[in-house]
Amino acid sequence: MTSRPQLFDFHGVSMIQCVTRNWENVQSFQARPDDILIVAYPKAGITWVSFILDLLYFGQSSPERQTSIPIYERVPFLEMAIPSVVSGTELADKLPTSPRLIKTHLPVQFVPKSFWEHNCRIVYIARNAKDNMVSFYHFDRMNLMEPEPGEWSSFFQRFLEGKMLYGSWYDHVNGWWKKKKTYSKLHYVLYEDMIEDTGREVEKLCSFLGLSPSAEEKRAITCRVQFDNMKKNKMTNYSTVPVMDFEVSPFMRKGKVGDWKNHFTVAQSEVFDEDYKKKMNDPTLQLRTEI
Ligand code: PPS
């Protein structure tokens, strides 16, 4: 069995080798003006939004793509670099599509400068920290390429301290929220809003992207991207990835708002809420832990 990767400090953010070993190529990545960068802290719903965008752009023109290419190849993971596997930057360079949809979990300060220079569209997804933490915990249990999660109580503590892959959740969502105030091509989506009304959020995405699919097409996409449908779909459920052990926990796990209540003790929730108030002091950013 391969050993789990270790976190280390990388310019002030906890990282693992798989996301830093190709750093020079990531930083010098040449974006194109029509590239769309899809960004989120891990486990905030990036696969969901990637699938929506892929369907909006290519669902009609190339339906075979939907049955033959897994979502992680259609939407390359920019900084991912596993030895003897094609890297995220290479995959992105070779993408035949226009626009190219590119995924990253990078905090805002690490985004390659070419995306800013070309004024690329960016979609950021944020999910409330409690559910995000729970989803991350189960992901780290099942994914051998992630650091060992340890017991829930120590994982909880580590999350509050920001010692997670990609660093502090608080810095990530705050950093991107702050960027939105000065960068107009950034659309900030909340996972909870998507759960509440997926169709409404698809509308908003279309308006941000300048797309005008028919009402029927939008209805069909909204249905196709529902949790149960994505969970059954081999091209979106990650069942083709060998390092993930679905017997421990499936990638498409619950897809709900409020699952944190099944994991947090009352005491943990109180500690969390106190700490949250100190770190999240911009009243314009409100994330719901229940809907
Ligand atoms: S990753 O590994 O960072 O790319 O994961 P990511 O895709 O960002 O997040 C995975 C969580 O998103 C849930 N998910 C969905 N929820 C509702 N509806 C749909 N369609 C959907 N697709 C993915 C997925 O189940 C993970 O959340 P949890 O809470 O673990 O179920």
Side-chain angles (χ1 to χ4, degrees):
M1 216 190 83
T2 49
S3 62
R4 295 291 198 113
Q6 298 290 321
L7 286 170
F8 54 87
D9 181 80
F10 186 75
H11 305 294
V13 176
S14 296
M15 291 292 214
I16 57 174
Q17 272 200 333
C18 279
V19 300
T20 61
R21 67 161 58 85
N22 194 29
W23 201 246
E24 279 180 22
N25 290 328
V26 171
Q27 289 304 306
S28 61
F29 181 76
Q30 290 305 300
R32 296 179 195 153
D34 64 344
D35 281 348
I36 298 168
L37 191 63
I38 309 173
V39 192
Y41 191 73
K43 312 318 289 179
I46 206 166
T47 312
W48 194 3
V49 171
S50 299
F51 189 38
I52 293 173
L53 261 56
D54 190 72
L55 287 170
L56 282 170
Y57 279 104
F58 312 115
Q60 298 273 310
S61 57
S62 39
E64 72 291 346
R65 171 183 176 86
Q66 300 302 330
T67 51
S68 58
I69 312 176
I71 192 70
Y72 51 83
E73 284 178 23
R74 287 184 235 165
V75 183
F77 187 173
L78 186 65
E79 63 273 22
M80 185 48 71
I82 304 166
S84 64
V85 175
V86 57
S87 67
T89 52
E90 284 171 297
L91 258 183
D93 279 334
K94 286 194 202 133
L95 270 187
T97 58
S98 179
R100 301 185 299 185
L101 306 175
I102 300 172
K103 153 183 167 171
T104 181
H105 288 309
L106 292 174
V108 67
Q109 70 274 23
F110 288 166
V111 169
K113 67 175 187 316
S114 171
F115 285 99
W116 307 120
E117 287 166 354
H118 288 296
N119 203 23
C120 294
R121 284 194 174 88
I122 301 180
V123 177
Y124 184 81
I125 309 110
R127 183 179 193 180
N128 83 78
K130 286 177 165 175
D131 284 325
N132 205 141
M133 188 196 304
V134 168
S135 181
F136 211 163
Y137 173 65
H138 290 292
F139 187 63
D140 282 5
R141 289 173 55 235
M142 64 82 113
N143 186 347
L144 299 180
M145 286 191 38
E146 288 281 318
E148 183 64 57
E151 292 296 315
W152 164 250
S153 56
S154 60
F155 188 88
F156 171 89
Q157 198 52 45
R158 225 162 29 83
F159 187 95
L160 265 55
E161 289 165 12
K163 292 186 185 139
M164 312 291 299
L165 175 54
Y166 291 102
S168 154
W169 176 94
Y170 309 88
D171 292 348
H172 208 283
V173 299
N174 280 331
W176 278 99
W177 183 252
K178 196 162 165 233
K179 188 73 188 179
K180 178 183 139 67
K181 295 182 180 174
T182 56
Y183 187 77
S184 62
K185 292 263 195 93
L186 172 55
H187 181 63
Y188 205 98
V189 183
L190 305 182
Y191 178 92
E192 294 71 30
D193 288 353
M194 303 243 306
I195 291 277
E196 185 176 65
D197 189 340
T198 314
R200 180 191 62 204
E201 297 307 311
V202 169
E203 275 301 343
K204 287 195 208 160
L205 280 165
C206 288
S207 131
F208 171 69
L209 299 166
L211 298 174
S212 36
S214 68
E216 180 43 39
E217 206 182 312
K218 276 183 281 189
R219 251 196 312 277
I221 291 175
T222 301
C223 171
R224 238 165 132 173
V225 304
Q226 289 309 304
F227 180 80
D228 292 342
N229 291 335
M230 282 184 66
K231 189 176 170 86
K232 276 186 265 171
N233 181 344
K234 282 199 176 63
M235 294 297 120
T236 60
N237 67 12
Y238 274 83
S239 56
T240 43
V241 176
V243 293
M244 296 185 186
D245 186 346
F246 279 28
E247 293 197 357
V248 175
S249 181
F251 182 88
M252 302 290 295
R253 193 183 59 89
K254 284 199 180 168
K256 295 223 172 327
V257 180
D259 187 40
W260 63 271
K261 292 177 190 164
N262 298 315
H263 294 75
F264 282 54
T265 63
V266 173
Q268 281 174 336
S269 188
E270 285 171 5
V271 168
F272 177 94
D273 292 345
E274 254 329 287
D275 179 68
Y276 191 86
K277 275 188 243 153
K278 291 182 205 138
K279 291 174 178 155
M280 303 297 287
N281 44 28
D282 182 343
T284 61
L285 178 58
Q286 297 288 339
L287 292 149
R288 293 180 288 169
T289 53
E290 47 196 311
I291 54 172

